[in-house]
Amino acid sequence: MLYPIAIEAGDEKSAFGVTVPDLPGCFSAGETLDEAVLNAKEAITGHIELLVELGDDIPAVSALGTLANNPEFAGYIWALVDVDVTRLLGGSEKINVTLPKSLIDRIDRCVASHPEYKSRSGFLAQVALERISVKA
C-alpha cells in the first residue's frame, strides 16, 4: 500500500519531521529528507505490526490529494511510502478460489502491467485490503 506522509521541513537546527495522517500516532523524523522517508517506512511497518498484534483494524489509506488540501498540513512536503501490508498480516494460507476465466485473464493482464502487485495472489490480497476494513 502507498501511505501518504506529511513531511515538515527541517533546517540546520532541526530534523525533518514526519506525520502519517492515516495512522494516528505514527510519527518519524530524519536528519535529511531521504532519511525522513526511510524512517517513515520503518515507523509505518512497526505501527501496522502493533495494530495486527493487538487485533486492531488497519485504517484505510487516504487519497494524497485529499490530505494535501487539509489546512492542517499547509506547507508540508508530501511523499508516498510503499509498505507491503500483506506481509505484516501473518503467515500465508493457500486456498482455492473459483473465478470466471475472463476475470482471471483481466487480473493477469493487470498484474503484468502493474508490477507492484507482484503476482495474482498479491493483486487479490491488495484489492481485498483496499476494499474491506482489515481485521488481523
Side-chain angles (χ1 to χ4, degrees):
M1 290 188 133
L2 293 174
Y3 279 90
I5 60 170
I7 306 167
E8 196 169 15
D11 57 29
E12 299 83 35
K13 297 180 183 178
S14 62
F16 289 84
V18 178
T19 301
V20 185
D22 291 324
L23 298 173
C26 185
F27 304 97
S28 187
E31 291 298 319
T32 66
L33 187 57
D34 290 340
E35 186 179 276
V37 172
L38 287 173
N39 290 345
K41 184 170 184 164
E42 288 181 25
I44 293 167
T45 300
H47 196 91
I48 292 172
E49 286 174 339
L50 182 59
L51 290 174
V52 169
E53 184 179 311
L54 296 173
D56 292 342
D57 291 339
I58 299 172
V61 175
S62 300
L64 182 58
T66 302
L67 294 171
N69 289 327
N70 183 335
E72 179 182 345
F73 298 109
Y76 281 64
I77 301 165
W78 289 94
L80 294 171
V81 176
D82 191 13
V83 176
D84 184 1
V85 175
T86 59
R87 183 183 63 78
L88 304 174
L89 295 176
S92 296
E93 183 176 335
K94 188 172 184 159
I95 62 169
N96 286 327
V97 176
T98 303
L99 298 170
K101 174 145 179 38
S102 62
L103 180 57
I104 294 170
D105 292 341
R106 290 176 67 188
I107 290 169
D108 290 344
R109 283 194 305 272
C110 182
V111 170
S113 62
H114 294 90
E116 65 269 19
Y117 293 122
K118 297 181 180 84
S119 67
R120 185 186 296 156
S121 293
F123 171 83
L124 294 173
Q126 183 68 38
V127 170
L129 284 169
E130 292 170 0
R131 182 71 180 162
I132 62 174
S133 174
V134 179
K135 185 74 171 175

